Amino acid sequence: MTAIITAPELAQELAGGTPPVLLDVRWQLSVAKAAGAPAFDAEAEYAAGHLPGAVFVDLDLELASPPGAHGRHPLPDLAVFGAAMRRAGVSAARPVVVYDGGQGWAAARAWWLLRWTGHPDVRVLDGGLPSWRGGLSTDAPAVAEGDFAPAPAAAGLLDADAAAALARTGVLLDARAGERYRGEVEPIDRVGGHIPGAVSAPTTENVGPDGRFLPAAELRDRFKALGVSEDAEVGVYCGSGVSGAHEVLALAVAGIPAALYVGSWSEWSADPSRPVAVGADPQ
């Protein structure tokens, strides 16, 4: 099963007899509030125009718990997440397609959560809303309640200790920008740098200028150059488990399974007992 779908493919499926459930998860990381500017209003963006039939899902409220000791976007309470998915019409027997404003990070977070909690058929619209060539709707759709009941998998999720161990025994990829990995700048968290042993792998390098994923073969070559071999155990982290989900999605496109450290750097760096590496060297 592929993890992504193109806009023409989605249009064809929506016109068919069993269209997928559509989730609009527009969101963006913003430090605008610190500068006194208004924060990005995802729900207002949705109301101004969305794919016909799509239901809005709030990343901060429904795909994450409140910020705290486990990072800025900890795992959501499963009861809250499950209720949000059922409200949106998600059922185990019906395909789901997720999209966002084009960056792909938020859509990937929803994709990862649904896959990790047992949904068998979830895809991300490659290129997000900007790739859509059809009309948009301003109507909030009336959807039938879904029946999805989250059942988390034993695999696919890392905590801080498991991430630290994987950096020594497998390949732990850091999906943040290179300057944050090296510790040259840190606009959000307590301290800059990276988990010792982690490899810098900015998720922005997995897509082309149009925001769509590179071909699977190119992604495989990229990850191979970063040390990912056929028998390597692979994990990913980022700042708070959002852009890292996008890297897990890129790995899935390349046919490589990977786990996500959801707490990521926002959890790791908040704990003074955790070691921090700086510079381009993983160690």
Side-chain angles (χ1 to χ4, degrees):
M1 186 193 73
T2 181
I4 57 176
I5 184 171
T6 67
E9 290 169 340
L10 177 59
Q12 186 174 14
E13 290 194 13
L14 290 174
T18 54
V21 173
L22 279 179
L23 304 182
D24 183 311
V25 196
R26 272 178 277 184
W27 170 90
Q28 67 183 39
L29 177 65
S30 175
V31 293
K33 286 187 290 185
F40 177 76
D41 189 337
E43 198 159 8
E45 293 289 325
Y46 168 83
H50 51 266
L51 268 64
V55 177
F56 176 72
V57 175
D58 191 306
L59 185 148
D60 290 317
L61 299 180
E62 297 172 319
L63 304 182
S65 293
H70 292 296
R72 279 190 306 281
H73 291 103
L75 285 173
D77 179 279
L78 288 180
V80 172
F81 173 65
M85 293 300 99
R86 290 188 293 274
R87 170 190 61 81
V90 175
S91 293
R94 188 175 172 190
V96 177
V97 172
V98 191
Y99 72 90
D100 59 22
Q103 188 179 46
W105 295 5
R109 171 76 175 217
W111 167 85
W112 180 84
L113 276 169
L114 280 165
R115 293 291 294 143
W116 176 65
T117 55
H119 199 289
D121 191 349
V122 191
R123 290 163 293 171
V124 169
L125 176 58
D126 196 15
L129 187 62
S131 71
W132 182 251
R133 294 294 175 262
L136 298 179
S137 172
T138 57
D139 297 330
V143 298
E145 181 90 358
D147 64 12
F148 181 67
L157 176 68
L158 301 173
D159 61 13
D161 290 338
L166 184 58
R168 298 188 299 270
T169 62
V171 180
L172 182 64
L173 301 175
D174 184 318
R176 298 172 301 157
E179 59 267 25
R180 291 185 68 190
Y181 170 89
R182 295 187 296 270
E184 296 165 359
V185 299
E186 182 44 65
I188 306 171
D189 294 311
R190 183 183 66 86
V191 63
H194 58 270
I195 297 173
V199 177
S200 180
T203 199
T204 52
E205 296 179 16
N206 295 320
V207 298
D210 59 358
R212 297 180 62 183
F213 282 105
L214 300 175
E218 290 185 28
L219 289 171
R220 282 192 290 272
D221 288 343
R222 182 191 184 218
F223 292 123
K224 182 178 180 180
L226 292 169
V228 175
S229 62
E230 289 185 3
D231 58 348
E233 186 179 355
V234 183
V236 182
Y237 75 96
C238 57
S240 65
V242 179
S243 66
H246 190 264
E247 185 122 296
V248 173
L249 176 58
L251 285 154
V253 171
I256 302 166
L260 178 64
Y261 171 27
V262 173
S264 286
W265 190 247
S266 59
E267 177 186 47
W268 183 279
S269 64
D271 183 350
S273 72
R274 297 284 179 186
V276 171
V278 296
D281 191 316
Q283 303 301 330

